[in-house]
């Protein structure tokens, strides 16, 4: 409010996270600006939804680390969120085998179909996010709307919450 209107009207873009007060402030104070949600925050919400699915699957297994499922979901969860998996092998004492990130990921995804579907949905958004420059705003908006529908189709609470968040911010995400 202390910046002169003439200067505020020259602002073209504002990058922000998904905090409603930022949206209100931009609309009120920077009337010519286009609001853009930064991709880091969108991916954070998606990763959080995926991790909630992982945790719900983890809770079905004994906490004594004897089951391979519990062990993988607890100690190798990082492979679900890595951009690039390592091909380097290590000997895993628990599994009594030489393993790499691809092996861990394949074993984790075999544990539960909802976890697999959630992971695949996360990866689709990651791909879209990585190649954003190939989309017009209208194409991006269409992609986001389809993605929202796919989140709802999973029928998982964390992805329904994510879908509602994305739907609320889809214009700014598409920008």
């Amino acid at each position: 409010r202390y910046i002169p209107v003439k200067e505020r009207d020259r602002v073209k873009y504002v990058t922000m996270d998904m905090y409603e007060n930022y949206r209100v402030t931009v609309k009120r104070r920077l009337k010519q600006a286009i609001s853009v949600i930064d991709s880091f925050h969108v991916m954070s919400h998606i990763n959080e939804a995926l991790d909630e699915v992982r945790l719900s699957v983890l809770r079905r297994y004994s906490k004594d680390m004897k089951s391979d499922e519990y062990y993988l979901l607890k100690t190798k969860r990082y492979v679900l969120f890595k951009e690039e998996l390592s091909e380097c092998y290590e000997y895993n004492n628990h599994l009594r085998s030489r393993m790499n990130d691809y092996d861990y990921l394949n074993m984790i995804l075999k544990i539960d179909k909802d976890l697999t579907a959630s992971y695949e949905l996360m990866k689709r958004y990651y791909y879209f996010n990585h190649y954003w420059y190939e989309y017009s705003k209208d194409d991006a908006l269409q992609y986001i709307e389809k993605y929202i529908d796919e989140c709802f189709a999973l029928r998982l609470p964390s992805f329904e919450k994510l879908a509602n968040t994305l739907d609320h911010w889809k214009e700014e995400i598409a920008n």
Side-chain angles (χ1 to χ4, degrees):
R1 88 183 106 181
Y2 300 111
I3 299 170
V5 173
K6 206 173 194 179
E7 192 172 335
R8 281 188 270 152
D9 285 345
R10 291 187 3 226
V11 175
K12 293 181 182 180
Y13 301 98
V14 175
T15 304
M16 60 183 165
D17 63 19
M18 294 180 222
Y19 181 56
E20 191 64 38
N21 286 349
Y22 293 157
R23 177 193 265 169
V24 170
T25 302
V26 169
K27 285 184 180 191
R28 182 183 299 154
R29 304 285 183 194
L30 304 168
K31 294 180 178 161
Q32 305 302 316
I34 295 172
S35 296
V36 179
I37 299 298
D38 76 62
S39 59
F40 171 83
H41 287 92
V42 177
M43 283 307 302
S44 291
H45 283 274
I46 294 170
N47 288 341
E48 185 179 302
L50 174 60
D51 201 44
E52 286 180 35
V53 174
R54 179 192 65 85
L55 288 169
S56 72
V57 173
L58 176 71
R59 287 185 199 105
R60 288 190 241 142
Y61 294 94
S62 167
K63 292 183 181 179
D64 63 9
M65 293 284 271
K66 288 182 182 174
S67 80
D68 291 347
E69 294 85 358
Y70 186 87
Y71 170 79
L72 289 163
L73 291 165
K74 183 76 173 173
T75 65
K76 301 301 178 185
R77 66 185 177 272
Y78 67 89
V79 297
L80 292 169
F81 306 100
K82 281 181 92 171
E83 287 183 31
E84 292 187 34
L85 299 175
S86 171
E87 294 182 26
C88 294
Y89 284 90
E90 65 181 22
Y91 185 78
N92 185 293
N93 289 325
H94 178 88
L95 299 170
R96 294 186 170 92
S97 181
R98 286 174 39 86
M99 308 287 289
N100 67 19
D101 287 349
Y102 290 96
D103 298 325
Y104 293 132
L105 180 62
N106 287 330
M107 289 181 78
I108 289 170
L109 295 180
K110 287 178 183 173
I111 294 171
D112 183 82
K113 66 179 178 52
D114 288 338
L115 183 60
T116 301
S118 301
Y119 174 80
E120 289 170 354
L121 196 54
M122 180 272 294
K123 280 300 195 186
R124 278 203 295 287
Y125 193 88
Y126 174 79
Y127 181 84
F128 164 74
N129 192 52
H130 192 70
Y131 294 101
W132 62 268
Y133 53 86
E134 295 179 2
Y135 294 84
S136 68
K137 181 182 176 187
D138 289 339
D139 290 341
L141 195 52
Q142 278 184 311
Y143 186 94
I144 293 162
E145 287 172 348
K146 183 180 177 218
Y147 192 85
I148 290 165
D149 291 342
E150 291 173 350
C151 288
F152 278 125
L154 286 179
R155 297 187 176 281
L156 298 169
S158 63
F159 275 84
E160 289 175 353
K161 179 182 170 190
L162 171 65
N164 286 321
T165 299
L166 296 177
D167 189 49
H168 185 70
W169 292 96
K170 64 187 172 191
E171 286 289 327
E172 290 86 352
I173 295 168
N175 288 340

